[in-house]
Amino acid sequence: MDRWILFTAVLLAAAAALHGARYLSRGKRSRWTVMWMLGSFACQFIVLGLRSELRGSCPLGDIGEMFIFASWALTMCYLAVGSVFRLSLLGVFTAPLVCFLLSMALVPGMLESNPLSANHIDGWRESHAAFSVLAYGALGLAAVSAVMFLVLDQQLKEGDFAKGLFRNLPPVNELGLVVRRLLWLGLFLLTLGVISGLVMKASGDSQSRHLFAAAGQWVAYLLLLFISAWRGLPLKRFAIATVILFFCSLLIFALL
């Protein structure tokens, strides 16, 4: 049952991407993009609830659940940040990434059919996993915003001002500010995850690989923000680095 609901979430996210792109090509914005994403978010929430009941703990026991949790966090950040910063177009760029993450979770073998129920719950371990994945939601949205910046920057260089995409994108400086704020939010959440992981490790937990990976990503993002603030990194290089770091993060955790 959870796979059918997950498949529905993929379809709703795909509808958001296609519907938004069609309106965008006409130089218009569609409020239905948010509605499709809300539906996908609700389906993801239901799937996570079902998996949580099966495990008796936070549903982060396999790669498939990590993909779903990351997609849920990304969608939640979009629904919150999109309204705060008035970036309605963000959904058109976010929906394809949500589709990708959820589709990866549907690949056979990613989700355990009959996961073992937890005998006991380690609060620090649960906090480490939850904060880390929530951080990837914010960092993923920062990467999506960075892609929007790169698209807008390319159109400005080409002098292509007639397309609907250009007319609907926010100003360059505003996008750069959004990327920075999302990175700081992601870094804050990742800091909480690393701290929880350190306490977890001190209590004898063996999940050291994920902790080292999270700590490595924390250092990388901190360096990026520090260099940007100290050396005045150009926005284009800053955006490219944001996208590369996020996809490297996905690759590392997929390999773990």
Side-chain angles (χ1 to χ4, degrees):
M1 180 180 178
D2 55 353
R3 284 171 173 77
W4 283 108
I5 300 175
L6 185 58
F7 183 68
T8 303
V10 175
L11 292 180
L12 290 171
L18 295 174
H19 185 80
R22 187 180 68 175
Y23 268 75
L24 189 60
S25 65
R26 301 174 183 174
K28 301 178 181 179
R29 299 185 185 186
S30 173
R31 294 183 179 180
W32 280 101
T33 301
V34 177
M35 301 305 296
W36 292 121
M37 291 296 284
L38 273 172
S40 180
F41 177 78
C43 290
Q44 295 170 53
F45 185 78
I46 293 172
V47 172
L48 289 174
L50 293 173
R51 300 294 297 186
S52 178
E53 287 185 6
L54 288 174
R55 289 196 178 276
S57 62
C58 185
L60 288 168
D62 54 43
I63 296 297
E65 290 176 352
M66 290 183 183
F67 277 126
I68 299 171
F69 206 115
S71 173
W72 175 80
L74 174 63
T75 309
M76 179 177 63
C77 287
Y78 153 68
L79 293 172
V81 172
S83 59
V84 171
F85 292 101
R86 298 179 181 179
L87 298 177
S88 58
L89 192 61
L90 195 58
V92 181
F93 287 80
T94 305
L97 181 55
V98 171
C99 284
F100 170 75
L101 293 173
L102 295 179
S103 297
M104 289 299 296
L106 282 171
V107 172
M110 289 292 189
L111 282 173
E112 296 179 12
S113 299
N114 298 300
L116 296 176
S117 181
N119 295 323
H120 70 281
I121 298 177
D122 184 343
W124 290 112
R125 179 179 178 180
E126 299 284 296
S127 298
H128 165 66
F131 279 126
S132 297
V133 178
L134 284 172
Y136 279 92
L139 297 173
L141 197 62
V144 171
S145 301
V147 170
M148 290 177 63
F149 170 85
L150 293 172
V151 170
L152 179 58
D153 181 71
Q154 185 64 30
Q155 287 194 324
L156 286 172
K157 286 185 177 180
E158 294 176 354
D160 189 2
F161 308 136
K163 290 184 178 179
L165 180 61
F166 178 81
R167 294 197 300 270
N168 284 286
L169 281 172
V172 171
N173 291 335
E174 183 179 345
L175 274 175
L177 181 62
V178 169
V179 173
R180 281 195 173 87
R181 288 180 176 177
L182 286 170
L183 285 180
W184 279 114
L185 174 61
L187 186 65
F188 171 73
L189 292 171
L190 196 56
T191 301
L192 295 178
V194 171
I195 292 174
S196 300
L198 290 173
V199 178
M200 172 191 72
K201 185 173 177 58
S203 65
D205 199 285
S206 61
Q207 302 294 320
S208 58
R209 290 184 302 170
H210 292 89
L211 175 59
F212 289 146
Q217 293 302 315
W218 181 86
V219 171
Y221 278 107
L222 182 63
L223 283 175
L224 174 61
L225 288 167
F226 176 76
I227 292 173
S228 175
W230 182 49
R231 297 287 300 273
L233 193 66
L235 280 177
K236 184 175 181 179
R237 293 183 180 179
F238 183 73
I240 292 173
T242 299
V243 175
I244 292 175
L245 273 180
F246 176 69
F247 280 100
C248 286
S249 302
L250 286 181
L251 181 61
I252 289 172
F253 275 91
L255 292 176
L256 290 177

